[in-house]
Amino acid sequence: MSPEGAIAIVGAAVVVVLFARWTKSRISDRVILNMYPVGYIGLFVGLFIPHWEVGRFVWFIDGTNTERWGSSGNCCKLVVDDSALASAGVRVNKGRDDAPAQYISFRGEILEIGSFGHAGICRYRIKVVCDLVKTNND
């Protein structure tokens, strides 16, 4: 076997091992959808990521960030008045400035499952019911 062939085989093996570890550390979309159906009401903790068009909330389900661009069981569009976000100290970044990602928590209700937000990357639409709190000092 040539050295190039051996390097290719080792490289492929490393990629397979890394992919297997990555998938074990993620919660599958199907599990998320089964555990948290439309109508679920509870405490949501995660990261609000501002965007010039539509910000998104990355829900840390069981403390795990499972966000993947384009397919994410826990990337959510929030249904909340911008004044409620502002009163909690959360910047929604509707302009061109760089507002940082901000940790927030709130009591909410899952309204819909589908494709929402910027480029349709959000799986859930969640209504913020009460107690929106910014949990970091950014």
Side-chain angles (χ1 to χ4, degrees):
M1 177 182 295
S2 70
E4 292 84 9
I7 291 171
I9 290 172
V10 169
V14 167
V15 168
V16 168
V17 168
L18 291 175
F19 180 76
R21 287 187 179 182
W22 177 78
T23 56
K24 284 185 178 181
S25 70
R26 303 286 179 169
I27 300 171
S28 75
D29 287 350
R30 184 176 310 231
V31 170
I32 294 169
L33 293 172
N34 289 335
M35 289 172 52
Y36 303 101
V38 171
Y40 171 84
I41 296 174
L43 178 66
F44 293 84
V45 176
L47 191 64
F48 182 78
I49 301 172
H51 189 273
W52 64 270
E53 186 179 42
V54 178
R56 71 184 186 275
F57 172 70
V58 179
W59 177 16
F60 294 167
I61 298 171
D62 295 331
T64 303
N65 177 356
T66 66
E67 182 183 26
R68 296 182 301 282
W69 177 261
S71 171
S72 179
N74 68 333
C75 188
C76 313
K77 179 176 187 244
L78 297 184
V79 176
V80 61
D81 189 284
D82 285 349
S83 64
L85 286 170
S87 67
V90 177
R91 293 177 56 200
V92 290
N93 195 22
K94 292 222 177 196
R96 296 274 181 197
D97 61 336
D98 280 335
Q102 301 144 92
Y103 292 95
I104 62 173
S105 62
F106 59 91
R107 185 162 173 72
E109 176 183 3
I110 296 175
L111 297 179
E112 293 180 83
I113 298 172
S115 180
F116 312 103
H118 178 70
I121 67 168
C122 298
R123 174 70 51 87
Y124 283 111
R125 257 186 67 222
I126 300 174
K127 179 180 180 183
V128 176
V129 177
C130 66
D131 301 331
L132 187 123
V133 176
K134 183 174 173 183
T135 57
N136 69 343
N137 295 324
D138 290 342

